[in-house]
Amino acid sequence: MKKYILLLIISISFVAKGFAEEGMWLPQLLQTLNEKQMKKMGMKISAADIYSISKGSLKDAIVSFGGFCTAEVISDQGLLLTNHHCGFDAIQNHSSLQNNYIRDGFWAYNKGQELTNAGLFATFIIRIDDVTATVLNGVTNNLTEKERQSAIDKNIATLRGNVKKESYQDVLIRPFFEANKYYLFVTETYRDVRLVGAPPSSIGNYGKDTDNWMWPRHTGDFSMFRIYAGKDNKPAPYSADNVPYKPKRALNISLDGVKEGDFTMVFGFPGRTNEYLHSSAIEQTVKISDPAKIGIRTKALGILDGFMRKDEGIKIQYAAKYASISNAWKKWQGEVLGLTKTNAVAKRKEYESNFEKIVLSKPEYNMAYIELLKNLKQAYTDIEPYGYARDYYNEIVPKVELWGIAGDMNSLVTAYAKDETAYTKRKTEVLTKLEESFKEYNAGVDQKLFDALMEMYIADQKAEFISPAFNTMFAEKGKSITALSEAVYSQTSFSSLDKIKKLLAGSTAEVIAAIKADIAGQLYTDIFKTYVSNVSPKLNALQSDINRLQRIYMQAQMDVFSTKAFYPDANSTLRVTYGNVKTYQPRDGVKYDLQTYMEGVMEKYVPGDYEFDLPKKMIDLYNKKDFGRWGVNGRQPVCFIAANHTTGGNSGSPALNADGNLVGLNFDRVWEGTMSDINYDPSICRNIMVDIRYVMFIVDKFAEAKNLIAEMKFVSKTGKK
Ligand code: ARG
Ligand code: ASP
């Protein structure tokens, strides 16, 4: 009996409280919701040290980097630290055959050498306010979704006009908890962000796709930038006269490293999670959506790999595309594995039946929530075929680049329908864009992708979702996809930049006629039209209904499990996640350690390899054990893991220790735990960080950028110098 009661208590507290490590918390609510637990887990600083609007706090050192990653200020001269893969676009843009910064790395040894990056920005969060009451003013349950949204839009517009802020600041208002809550962010965006340093890809992306999403890891995934400001330290557009930004706060760098059980927290801008889904949505992810997307990408990657292995030029052209297709492909496989292994669907069903029991037991919930789960289940059943069609369209159409080019060319016809000026403007835009994209295009590769993917498009989908024009041509070609693609690629003018230029050189009337007559243009138009008329309307209507139900369900969960602290799903806003440095067991009989060292870098080293080559200087430093102040007992730490709940967008986020000092740089998660976006499980979810001492070793010993080391502030509790 005692045992039974104990079990009951454990299972109730499990359901009601979630896991200590789970959650992407709002920094302004830490004091109320998390501080006590964070301290219990080892944190030495206070919630106000992390987020405060009245005094400088750690949040003043954190920026959204270009809107897709996180970076942190690590010197009083605006030096920024982020990942190599976050800075990669900038690194690539400055690279040429003469200055191959991708291959060789780049280091500015004085500020004059730092490189400007058009379009790149860094956004600080100045203040976060709860504006729910204002935004939802007058919004009642009787409104239709459309009425509700227009009431909200109106309220937001009024609110925007009334916000107290400086002229150089911006305002952002975002929904949280499935739009049950709204928060307002006052932000400052700096748009002069210069490249300061990046290691060679052989360090910054060591292990490439093979090691991506994997532990043990040995990647030095970092790069450095600097924020420049006007003379008044305020945001200013790029100018040679701008000066290094003086931050309100810069992070101190800890020399102490981490050990098992240490408290860590990750502070950054996680992109998107779905932690409160109905079990049938998880089931669909595992059984239908992920497998469909994985299947398509497996085909695409197989084709690309075949070409890239044989042809050095194609390898360079398609490297970035391959990496990006492969990134999500690998993540989804980990997600299916993790969701299956941790019985996520069964567990969610159990959670739902607990929910239902409580609802049934309380008359005040009865009316509002009794049908909710049933309706959600039905809605997910209804959306399934449309979701599948969406996945197919989104995964296939953009990968056949001919369709994208056809879309660009067709946009000239649309522009022409408006007027001649619109046409001329659009023509320049399209040409500029295509000049760029054709650098990374090979018609032979594209045609093979077409064969493999369009075959799936036609074979795996319901008839109503397949373009009639494509289907007719397929039948005409004796149901041979290769015969079809032969015809398309030999007849179209869109698969070669030369042909496109020749076509565009004609008179406006000739150009428009030629585009309208092009076989690829015609097929793409029909593929697009079929999707827009047979999938989108139903999909959007069903999705809007799901959003409504999920919104009610979110509120219901918070009502029903009223003692549980809830965190909102990630939405690219500033969050804090925390946990302890921890090993994990990926499968039976295997236990993964928490720290890697340079020995492991050397164990993986394959001279001349595409993924595991190393610069000679790294090997020399290793052989001489020349680690300087960054090594411990003759060994150089490289990466470590902890149970911090992170997702895409957290890349580049600082990992801070109990005292709020920088110990690591977040860049990935372990494969077995990528399902943390849907179902966080503390047994196998770990985030991966570069040890800050490895970053410093590379800056100091490998790059010999003493100028950068001199800017930073190092701290140690053990008297390490
Ligand atoms: N998996 C990490 C993140 O999503 C790192 C990706 C970059 N590295 C790579 N080898 N593609 O997004
Ligand atoms: N690598 C991811 C990023 O780029 C981080 C993650 O998904 O864990 O943001």
Side-chain angles (χ1 to χ4, degrees), residues 433-617:
K433 184 176 166 201
L434 293 182
E435 292 263 11
E436 271 314 300
S437 56
F438 266 98
K439 285 182 193 157
E440 293 179 351
Y441 178 86
N442 176 298
V445 176
D446 202 47
Q447 190 176 336
K448 281 281 183 278
L449 283 170
F450 182 112
D451 288 349
L453 303 188
M454 291 313 287
E455 178 142 63
M456 295 178 90
Y457 171 85
I458 214 152
D460 302 349
Q461 293 203 95
K462 282 195 184 164
E464 60 190 293
F465 299 145
I466 300 168
S467 144
F470 194 85
N471 219 357
T472 306
M473 188 166 173
F474 184 61
E476 279 164 17
K477 297 292 169 192
K479 301 208 169 192
S480 157
I481 198 80
T482 47
L484 191 161
S485 76
E486 247 336 291
V488 172
Y489 281 80
S490 61
Q491 288 168 36
T492 182
S493 303
F494 297 170
S495 64
S496 127
L497 187 60
D498 284 342
K499 282 188 193 160
I500 286 176
K501 281 183 172 167
K502 216 181 272 161
L503 186 157
L504 291 177
S507 72
T508 309
E510 283 165 356
V511 172
I512 297 300
I515 294 174
K516 282 185 173 166
D518 194 280
I519 179 77
Q522 287 174 355
L523 286 176
Y524 174 67
T525 303
D526 199 62
I527 290 170
F528 180 70
K529 213 179 77 194
T530 307
Y531 184 79
V532 169
S533 45
N534 296 1
V535 182
S536 298
K538 202 78 207 245
L539 180 74
N540 295 344
L542 289 164
Q543 188 59 53
S544 149
D545 197 42
I546 287 181
N547 294 349
R548 180 183 65 85
L549 291 168
Q550 284 282 162
R551 183 179 72 234
I552 301 169
Y553 182 40
M554 187 73 242
Q555 186 59 54
Q557 292 175 70
M558 295 196 277
D559 291 345
V560 166
F561 301 119
S562 55
T563 54
K564 176 179 167 174
F566 280 88
Y567 63 93
D569 269 318
N571 59 355
S572 296
T573 58
L574 185 61
R575 304 294 178 91
V576 172
T577 86
Y578 53 91
N580 295 100
V581 174
K582 240 189 220 171
T583 61
Y584 79 108
Q585 195 164 356
R587 49 190 178 275
D588 186 39
V590 180
K591 191 181 161 194
Y592 279 148
D593 224 334
L594 53 87
Q595 176 98 55
T596 58
Y597 292 90
M598 249 186 105
E599 281 79 3
V601 178
M602 296 307 298
E603 277 167 14
K604 288 177 176 174
Y605 169 50
V606 181
D609 186 65
Y610 169 63
E611 300 188 297
F612 292 99
D613 201 6
L614 279 171
K616 181 175 175 303
K617 190 166 176 186

Side-chain angles (χ1 to χ4, degrees), residues 305-312:
D305 187 60
F307 279 100
M308 288 165 74
R309 277 180 193 282
K310 278 187 283 200
D311 186 314
E312 195 62 27

Side-chain angles (χ1 to χ4, degrees), residues 354-369:
N354 276 315
F355 171 87
E356 225 148 24
K357 260 182 226 147
I358 300 177
V359 166
L360 281 173
S361 71
K362 296 210 176 178
E364 71 264 35
Y365 294 150
N366 264 333
M367 281 288 286
Y369 299 150

Side-chain angles (χ1 to χ4, degrees), residues 85 205 207-209 212-213 217 221 323-324 327 648 651 667-669:
H85 76 266
N205 193 8
K208 297 228 167 62
D209 294 312
N212 191 21
W213 299 113
R217 193 65 157 274
D221 194 346
S324 121
N327 193 40
S651 275
F667 73 102
D668 211 2
R669 277 170 287 163

